[in-house]
């Protein structure tokens, strides 16, 4: 049996009526232009607004090798939505990519971002991009382009997704790949600012169990001088400038960015097959946040080291004779750095990294 025809409206349709506000997108571009201008550096040939961003590799490079990285912020965004904290997730976005390319000795040159939402809230988007610009300033790279995608019915109101893309350069002869690491070398740890941007699916489950949900007043409880909410939303630390400063003065054999997989799965990525990193947990102090997560979630210590950075956001491997000088220089540059372990011969069948 045929269905009756639906009445056809005579009202004219528009893109705005369909859910996409071009004027709002234009307004956002104007809001973020001054933010992007603050990040400009040598090599930038055009700014935001063109179809493609132009960048010239600085002429001081003799044999430049480009190093690229991309990442997002993960489910930390759900915390940002619930707590209305949109100012620092952009720093997280930049940090995840620039720290990744730093491990090969690369200087971040420029950054692109992708912001997707169902309905564009210009104020919220500007706060997010403000964080991206702040992260780029911390990393010394230029924010030279990006994309804002308004896609009705794809995301609930008030929610968005982020992706970031960093490109850097390193001299071909100075690429850090870990191949020169040998037993006896020293492992140096640089303190994290907190959980950074990995493991938040577990963080949220612990909060739901311990506090009753992300909207609970319990997130305002004191945790070593700051609220639990402030602790879990602390932006990822960007290590670019201090590590590049050290690299200009002394060689570093290997660098690992401690992201998803924690210490036990990220440190092995820079080790030769014949080497094992033995890390001593007593060598560094975890923040109160990690103690709270482990206690309230009844999380096994091995699981903690597989999921979280546990207080160490970046690991450097250096030869013993340079270890103390490296630590002292990093501390002078504002980093909390300490010797956290040693490289030893790897026993047959043993894990490449152990925490004792």
């Amino acid at each position: 049996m045929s269905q009756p025809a639906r009445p056809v409206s005579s009202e004219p349709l528009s893109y705005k009526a369909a859910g996409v506000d071009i004027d709002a997108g234009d307004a956002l571009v104007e809001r973020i232009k001054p933010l992007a201008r603050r990040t400009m550096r040598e090599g930038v040939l055009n700014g935001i607004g063109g179809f493609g961003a132009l960048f010239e590799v600085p002429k001081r490079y003799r044999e430049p090798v480009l190093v690229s990285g991309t990442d997002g912020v993960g489910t930390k965004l759900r915390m940002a939505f619930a707590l209305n904290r949109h100012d620092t997730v952009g720093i997280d976005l930049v940090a995840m990519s620039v720290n990744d390319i730093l491990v090969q000795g690369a200087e971040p040159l420029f950054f692109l971002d992708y912001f997707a939402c169902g309905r564009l809230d210009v104020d919220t988007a500007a706060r997010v991009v403000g964080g991206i610009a702040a992260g780029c300033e911390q990393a010394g790279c230029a924010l030279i382009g990006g994309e804002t995608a308004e896609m009705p019915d794809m995301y609930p109101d008030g929610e968005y997704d982020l992706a970031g893309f960093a490109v850097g350069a390193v001299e071909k002869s100075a690429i850090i790949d870990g191949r020169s690491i040998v037993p006896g070398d020293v492992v140096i740890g640089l303190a994290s600012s907190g959980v950074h941007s990995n493991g938040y699916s577990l963080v949220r489950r612990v909060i739901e169990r311990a506090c009753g949900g992300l909207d609970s007043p319990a997130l305002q409880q004191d945790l070593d001088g700051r609220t639990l909410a402030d602790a879990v939303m602390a932006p990822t630390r960007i290590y670019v400038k201090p590590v590049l400063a050290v690299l200009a003065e002394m060689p570093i054999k290997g660098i690992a960015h401690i992201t998803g997989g924690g210490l036990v799965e990220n440190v092995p990525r820079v080790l030769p097959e014949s080497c094992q990193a033995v890390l001593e947990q007593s060598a560094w102090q975890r923040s109160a946040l990690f103690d709270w997560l482990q206690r309230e979630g009844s999380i096994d210590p091995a699981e903690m080291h597989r999921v979280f950075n546990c207080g160490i956001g970046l690991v450097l491997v250096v030869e013993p004779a340079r270890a103390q000088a490296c630590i002292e220089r990093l501390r002078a540059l504002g980093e909390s750095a300490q010797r956290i372990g040693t490289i030893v011969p790897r026993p047959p069948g043993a894990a490449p990294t152990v925490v004792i």
Side-chain angles (χ1 to χ4, degrees), residues 153-164:
D153 306 322
M154 287 290 289
Y155 300 91
D157 280 353
E159 297 190 5
Y160 53 82
D161 199 9
L162 291 174

Side-chain angles (χ1 to χ4, degrees), residues 289-311:
L289 175 58
F290 293 108
D291 293 336
W292 184 88
L293 288 168
Q294 185 169 4
R295 181 179 67 252
E296 298 297 331
S298 301
I299 304 173
D300 184 86
E303 182 74 356
M304 289 290 295
H305 291 127
R306 287 189 68 228
V307 176
F308 301 121
N309 64 60
C310 290

